[in-house]
């Protein structure tokens, strides 16, 4: 995957994930001097008005949520090529797959799952359904 052309404020550092709707980059927010997660919509989806509207709605709702278990939205916009993006706080804790591959004690797994379920309950209460947990 080639590095995206981001607004000048953000310096792409590494691709950290890909999903059905796009890719997520760890980027450096040079104005705030911090790493962020930058989710960019795939080109094919960015051309679909219904998808763009749904993405904008989900980002707007997510930005209105303030909860310890929900990653905050920091910024949003359009790339030069018209693809929407959203900037989220970067959490360098690793993925659920990595955690489970380490075979931690059941108590640790249940603690993480409890936190994930708490976040999902908050999102669902706001009308959002998250389909791709990592």
């Amino acid at each position: 995957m080639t590095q995206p052309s981001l607004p000048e404020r953000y310096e792409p550092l590494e691709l950290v994930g890909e999903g059905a709707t796009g890719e997520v980059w760890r980027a450096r927010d040079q104005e705030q001097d911090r790493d962020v997660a930058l989710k960019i919509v795939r080109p094919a989806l960015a051309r679909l008005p219904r998808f763009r509207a749904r993405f904008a709605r989900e980002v707007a709702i997510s930005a209105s949520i303030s909860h310890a278990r929900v990653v905050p939205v920091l910024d949003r916009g359009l790339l030069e090529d018209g693809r929407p993006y959203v900037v989220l706080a970067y959490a360098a804790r690793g993925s659920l797959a990595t955690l489970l591959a380490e075979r931690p004690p059941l108590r640790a797994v249940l603690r993480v799952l409890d936190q994930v379920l708490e976040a999902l309950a908050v999102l669902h209460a706001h009308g959002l359904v998250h389909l791709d947990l990592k």
Side-chain angles (χ1 to χ4, degrees), residues 6 12 27 44-45 53-54 56 58 69 76 78 92 101 107 121 128:
L6 302 176
L45 292 174
R54 189 183 88 205
E58 290 175 0
R69 301 282 180 239
R76 57 189 159 194
L78 296 174
R107 183 174 297 247
L128 297 177

Side-chain angles (χ1 to χ4, degrees), residues 2-124:
T2 61
Q3 284 192 346
S5 177
L6 302 176
E8 194 171 304
R9 171 181 180 167
Y10 302 107
E11 174 190 357
L13 300 174
E14 67 175 320
L15 180 67
V16 294
E18 291 185 78
T21 61
E23 55 197 40
V24 178
W25 288 80
R26 182 172 65 92
R28 189 73 183 165
D29 179 342
Q30 297 178 74
E31 288 181 16
Q32 297 294 321
D33 193 30
R34 64 182 172 190
D35 286 358
V36 296
L38 210 140
K39 182 177 181 177
I40 304 169
V41 171
R42 292 191 181 283
L45 292 174
R47 290 188 290 271
L48 302 175
R50 283 183 58 192
F51 179 84
R52 288 176 67 106
R54 189 183 88 205
F55 184 80
R57 177 186 161 275
E58 290 175 0
V59 169
I61 291 170
S62 296
S64 74
I65 298 172
S66 177
H67 189 276
R69 301 282 180 239
V70 177
V71 178
V73 173
L74 305 174
D75 192 15
R76 57 189 159 194
L78 296 174
L79 298 181
E80 287 179 5
D81 65 5
R83 290 188 294 160
Y85 68 87
V86 60
V87 180
L88 307 163
Y90 180 72
R93 296 183 193 110
S95 69
L96 286 175
T98 301
L99 170 70
L100 295 175
E102 294 171 358
R103 302 182 82 57
L106 180 58
R107 183 174 297 247
V109 172
L110 293 175
R111 191 169 41 249
V112 169
L113 289 177
D114 184 58
Q115 294 170 6
V116 169
L117 291 173
E118 184 180 343
L120 287 173
V122 170
L123 295 174
H124 290 180

